[in-house]
Amino acid sequence: MKRRLFFILFSLVIYSVRSQEQPETNVNDPLQVIIENYLEKAHSLVTIYSGKEQIKYPAYIIGHPYLKSDSYEDGWLSYEGILYPHVRLRLDLYQNELIIHSPDTRFNIILDPDKIDYANLHNYKIIYHNRTKSNIPLSNGYYLELPTGTYKIWRQSVCNLKETVSDNITYEFIHKDKYYFFKGDYPYQVKGNNSVLKLFPSMKKELKHYIKQSGYSFKKDPEDFLLHISRQIEILE
């Protein structure tokens, strides 16, 4: 094992010297190909596991500020065009930060949002919206994209810190969701069944009938309602 490690390290040194002397790549050199692949992967891992470390929240705060769970979950991350499967992620909704857990589980590293293409976590596609780089008039931050067809639907999960003053002062994380239904490239906030019906006046009668017959309701289950109503709109078009 030690001899193999020494050989790899020695090969890396030799490769570094040779690469300075010979800039051209020899595609027929198996050792060079192995080393280049190793360096490419090592560089990409250094990229995602470098950055600021997340500051821990005080233990006296009730609840947690994360999407679904405060535990790290297995996810997929596309970062600067490179796809990383099976990385440990969690989304901090209070600070609006996507956190990756280092392989040795010692560090909680904040990912650079401008380098994130997307992430898949808790069966959601998570994207970072930067208003300066987009015409979509929504605030900067992470959004969850629901798996729809023609019509794009975004969920914005927000977490605030509530302070309650009584005999003692208590602090609690409070979660709230906002939903946006895209018609064309413009997002309309949905707050109830009628919010969607107003967007499609020519289908209003048919959609009302569908909602009544199916029993879907935004109030009962916003995501289930939006997924089914968007598919019904596609059928009616």
Side-chain angles (χ1 to χ4, degrees):
M1 181 65 185
K2 290 183 179 179
R3 293 180 63 185
R4 183 184 301 175
L5 179 59
F6 172 80
F7 173 73
I8 293 173
L9 293 173
F10 176 76
S11 301
L12 288 170
V13 173
I14 294 298
Y15 171 74
S16 177
V17 173
R18 286 171 58 189
S19 63
Q20 293 175 16
E21 297 174 350
Q22 302 174 3
E24 294 184 3
T25 301
N26 181 2
V27 294
N28 297 317
D29 184 348
L31 177 59
Q32 184 167 326
V33 172
I34 291 170
I35 293 172
E36 285 182 345
N37 288 339
Y38 170 81
L39 290 173
E40 183 180 350
K41 290 179 180 179
H43 170 73
S44 63
L45 288 174
V46 168
T47 299
I48 63 170
Y49 291 114
S50 61
K52 294 180 181 178
E53 186 176 13
Q54 182 194 32
I55 298 173
K56 291 184 178 180
Y57 289 101
Y60 58 76
I61 301 178
I62 301 169
H64 65 78
Y66 303 103
L67 177 67
K68 294 277 189 181
S69 168
D70 60 348
S71 301
Y72 281 95
E73 299 293 337
D74 187 69
W76 291 59
L77 174 68
S78 180
Y79 198 78
E80 292 189 304
I82 300 173
L83 183 62
Y84 300 89
H86 306 299
V87 290
R88 306 292 287 175
L89 299 169
R90 66 181 178 186
L91 181 60
D92 185 333
L93 303 173
Y94 181 68
Q95 294 290 351
N96 223 338
E97 294 170 340
L98 186 61
I99 316 296
I100 190 168
H101 212 192
S102 63
D104 61 3
T105 70
R106 293 173 59 199
F107 302 105
N108 308 301
I109 301 159
I110 302 169
L111 291 164
D112 184 343
D114 290 324
K115 294 180 180 179
I116 296 172
D117 307 309
Y118 65 89
N120 279 313
L121 180 65
H122 297 296
N123 295 318
Y124 289 104
K125 180 180 180 182
I126 298 173
I127 57 173
Y128 184 80
H129 170 63
N130 188 334
R131 191 169 179 177
T132 61
K133 298 180 180 180
S134 169
N135 294 325
I136 299 172
L138 293 176
S139 59
N140 291 355
Y142 287 97
Y143 291 81
L144 284 58
E145 190 170 286
L146 274 60
T148 55
T150 304
Y151 294 96
K152 186 162 57 179
I153 299 171
W154 284 6
R155 167 183 158 187
Q156 182 185 26
S157 292
V158 180
C159 181
N160 296 309
L161 188 60
K162 180 183 177 182
E163 179 183 339
T164 303
V165 180
S166 55
D167 294 337
N168 298 308
I169 300 176
T170 59
Y171 298 91
E172 182 180 5
F173 285 118
I174 304 296
H175 292 253
K176 183 180 179 181
D177 295 320
K178 297 178 182 179
Y179 292 89
Y180 297 93
F181 193 105
F182 283 75
K183 190 175 181 183
D185 294 326
Y186 193 88
Y188 295 87
Q189 187 175 355
V190 178
K191 297 181 178 180
N193 294 6
N194 288 332
S195 298
V196 178
L197 298 182
K198 288 178 181 178
L199 298 177
F200 301 91
S202 63
M203 305 178 191
K204 191 172 182 179
K205 184 178 178 180
E206 292 88 344
L207 291 175
K208 269 190 171 182
H209 178 73
Y210 172 76
I211 292 169
K212 185 177 179 180
Q213 291 296 113
S214 64
Y216 297 120
S217 167
F218 181 86
K219 187 176 181 179
K220 286 195 297 186
D221 191 332
E223 289 189 24
D224 196 42
F225 170 78
L226 290 170
L227 288 171
H228 283 92
I229 201 72
S230 66
R231 290 169 189 155
Q232 185 62 22
I233 292 167
E234 289 180 27
I235 293 170
L236 293 171
E237 284 181 324

